[in-house]
Amino acid sequence: MRRDHLIALRPWEAPEVTSWGRLAMNAVDRRSGALSLDGSWHFQLLPSPMGCSGEWTRTEVPGTWTTQSGDDLPQYTNAQMPWGEFPPASPAANPTGIYERSVDIPAEWAGRRIVLQVGAAESVLLVHVNGRPVGISKDSHLAAEFDLSDVVRPGDPATIRFTVVKWSDASHIEDQDQWWHAGITRSVLLYATDPLHLADVTVRARRDGRLRVDCQVRDAAGPLPQGWYVTGALEGQLLAQDTEFDRFNAEDMRVSDFLGEARLRGTVENVWPWTAETPELYDLTVRLHRADGSVADTSRHRVGFRDVEIRGRDLLVNGERVYIRGVNRHDFHPLTGRTVTADDMRADLVVMKRFGFNAIRTAHYPNDPTLYDLADELGFYVVDEANIESHDHAHEIADDPRYLPAFVDRVSRMVLRDKNHPSVIVWSLGNESDYGANHDAAAGWVRRHDPTRPIQYEGAAKLDWADPTAASDIVCPMYAPIEDCVAHALSGKQTMPLIQCEYSHAMGNSNGTLADTWAAIESTPGLQGGFIWEFWDHGILQRVNDGRPAGRGGAGLYEHGVAAPGHRWAYGGDFGETIHDGAFIADGVVFPDRTPKPVMYEHREIAAPVRLTYDQGVLLVHNRQHFRGLEWLAAEWRLVRADGGRQETLRTPAELPDVLPGESAAVPLPFPVPEGESWLTLRVVTADDEAWAPLGTEVCLPQVRLGEAVADAAPEPASGPAVTLDADALLVHPLLTAAPVLSLWRAPTDNDELGGMAARWRDWGLDALVRKVVDVREEGSRVVVVAEYATGAGPVRHEQVFTQVAGGLRVEESAELPEGLDDVARVGTVFETAPGLDVLDWYGQGPWESYPDRSTGAPVGHHSLPVDELFTPYLRPQESGGRHGMRRFTLSAPDATGLTVELGAPGQVSVNRYRAEELAAAAHHDELVPRPGCVVHLDAAHRGLGTASCGPDTSAEYLVAPGTHRWAWTLRVL
């Protein structure tokens, strides 16, 4: 194609055109020494590519205009496209951004090859320099490079213009579950090389120390000059002074020179292999020399020596079967959309590392290049995923030859860019795009170019997990019930590792049965883990007054997951879009400001490097790592006991045993086992500074029960003021503003709504129970109140027995649920307290939120928090803030007055400022008005959370069954 055809071409309508004028992708890092073009650019937004020029404004590059301009706002869809045109068509209303700026080309670049690099543009990029067309690029998540040597003059200014078209044929294969944005989303660089330059460098480093470096050399002037050669030097890192290390340098390498290719070989003795637990890296420098020995070009790389292979049905790293404790990650920021900084990405990975994740799937496209550098450094296994998802038109596109070039282009360019990163252990062909010839073509290219890593693609294996001919080396289903996974592993038909690419959907208050899932994985050969969906809640900070994104100026307007007054976390539909998928974008394990959700503590404990077991007086410490000992950890023993009214926590330093990976050791009990209920916790912290955590950072809190609780005798009735009831037979108490009544409903979680449970509860009328008193009678010192609640599945009989006891009031309750109420949210009591009781102290699980099927990460202990910190602000208000396994609690005012509740048996308790109906009615937290008092739920039974918004519901054991439920509690005044 000639340059003069560029203007006439409409690339947003041509799927067979993936690029023009764009240089080949390579793994030579040019960021060092480049001239950054980031910053303020002239900008105008047109209604379509053919629109007339408008008024120039300013915009920041990199950045999305959808979070900056206010004229074209973000839109969220999951599977559906945001417009109705069929592939490859795009809508006529097609926002188009024009970027322009002048740059002075350094005079010292005279005679050099000058290259422009655009880190990413969504979705079609057209480049003009000094009024001349330079090139076209598609793929919103990979860089495009263009040779400007013929269109700029060193020492003179040059005018660079980018035309970015939002919608195109390419949009149909970028139909990912995320916000639709547009703009120049990654950095723009200008750099220069000698005409004789390194065109590509491929590094293969084996765990036995063997190193091979393949170099491609080109000359912009044409044929390569005579006598050029390549040298390389590897320098070890993290070496102790007394460690012998045989380093090789240029003199040890053998060079093979033919047709612009060179190969360097060497062997590192006593190499330190790279793993996610031990991310050892070596600095490699490759130099291209002219015949006279002068250096024409240099490329620097950080090398990790490691092997990846599949043996049978196991994925092995350095010969070891490793558990993949993964999470799916988007490039995301609540103020800047897709644009993220190096500090942002490091903060992401630090949070992941601190909560036990060892793997990342780059859902659903290649992430910013810096992420891979950080994954190499901090230690993560990466599934690198191509920017291919045709969710809304998957079946027709998978075999459409018009899209064949795009499939191969996107997969191959990803591999060419990221192949030298030791963190990348698997290539993914994309996501949710059915399966067809286009995938097979892309897989064939990868297998030829990089046989050192396996390939995965969920669509290729979903029809038959045992099919060895599909273009996937790993069975990587989405949200498969763990029972199905176990059955497959035990069937005798399994031929490949089973590692779910998505499981445990983290939408709202979710991730139930996570511990049960991992118990099955760890006890079933053939199952090796998976990737939680996902890391982020993709809430965009929005100004409530005008409905626009807060933009870069919104920094500091959020904290601990909560937006400042006048702002809120926006999700689908909040920007006025008519086609959207609501709060389905809020499905991460962290809030939009990276505050961890409670599930993170659950995952941290499940993935902990240290575990405890206690059986028949024997205490064992288990090293659950694959490659590392426990020497990097320090610990402290804590004994929690509760004997009647006596509660205490004892502490003593712990000496961790020398335990090899995967092994266990018996250790003496640090305390005598006391009478009554007692729990032993090992608080594990970092012993030294780690790259992802300073010394003393908490790593895990494994806990075992030592002594069982002794059932307390029911308190004896006491003389004193009689139980007071009002005209409706409701308890009157000086510290209660709403009397205790039966509760069978909760503000539906996202799982409840999307899983269909909430609709059933509403049909039954559980959200608006009407109490009818049937009987009130005195039985000696007791007052019995019997009430009946009508539901769509039959009446519920509720009995309360009030007894005055020493220092308080004992309440014994029962509820009889008819057979038709076979799955309710809860069975328990709800009441409201007087204002001023603002601190909760409790004995039970905590301090984090926990529920019956998500409680492993909340150790039993004595905990205390302000009431306002108990509530979890999930983006769409819903049931939250519960604490599982609570035995007793105190709500107190600053003057130490208040009330204490003792539960007859450990139960689910929640204390917050909102009634369930208020939470259910609100779409955002700015709509909620906190009550001055507390709303208290005491549940004898509470339904598990599950992940039914996209995946399996909770297990049967966590459902609330019909029949008779009994519970008791004692209320005392401080």
Side-chain angles (χ1 to χ4, degrees), residues 213-237:
V213 182
D214 293 315
C215 304
Q216 290 184 359
V217 178
R218 299 290 184 268
D219 195 314
L224 291 173
Q226 294 293 319
W228 66 269
Y229 62 98
V230 174
T231 62
L234 190 78
E235 297 180 337
Q237 285 190 323

Side-chain angles (χ1 to χ4, degrees), residues 61-230:
V61 172
T64 57
W65 74 61
T66 42
T67 58
Q68 294 188 66
S69 73
D71 296 319
D72 178 35
L73 296 173
Q75 181 175 3
Y76 166 62
T77 62
N78 173 24
Q80 62 182 329
M81 290 295 291
W83 27 265
E85 282 76 5
F86 278 72
S90 55
N94 194 348
T96 300
I98 310 296
Y99 297 78
E100 189 170 288
R101 67 163 290 176
S102 178
V103 58
D104 292 328
I105 307 298
E108 58 270 24
W109 285 4
R112 295 175 67 78
R113 170 176 167 264
I114 300 172
V115 178
L116 173 69
Q117 182 189 93
V118 182
E122 185 174 353
S123 71
V124 176
L125 170 69
L126 295 85
V127 180
H128 289 73
V129 177
N130 290 335
R132 296 174 59 182
V134 170
I136 296 170
S137 180
K138 297 180 186 178
D139 190 341
S140 298
H141 299 284
L142 283 175
E145 293 191 338
F146 305 92
D147 190 336
L148 306 188
S149 304
D150 293 338
V151 294
V152 299
R153 180 177 297 175
D156 290 348
T159 299
I160 298 175
R161 173 178 282 209
F162 299 143
T163 301
V164 179
V165 185
K166 182 175 185 179
W167 306 121
S168 70
D169 61 274
S171 302
H172 290 284
I173 56 172
E174 295 183 354
D175 181 20
Q176 290 112 352
D177 178 10
Q178 59 178 329
W179 289 101
W180 291 98
H181 286 293
I184 306 290
T185 58
R186 294 181 189 158
S187 290
V188 179
L189 306 175
L190 195 65
Y191 68 87
T193 73
D194 192 278
L196 180 67
H197 61 278
L198 291 165
D200 199 10
V201 175
T202 302
V203 179
R204 291 179 180 170
R206 305 293 301 274
R207 79 173 188 269
D208 61 5
R210 287 179 292 162
L211 178 69
R212 191 180 102 183
V213 182
D214 293 315
C215 304
Q216 290 184 359
V217 178
R218 299 290 184 268
D219 195 314
L224 291 173
Q226 294 293 319
W228 66 269
Y229 62 98
V230 174

Side-chain angles (χ1 to χ4, degrees), residues 894-908:
D895 62 359
T897 61
L899 60 83
T900 293
V901 172
E902 298 171 357
L903 282 74
Q908 182 81 17

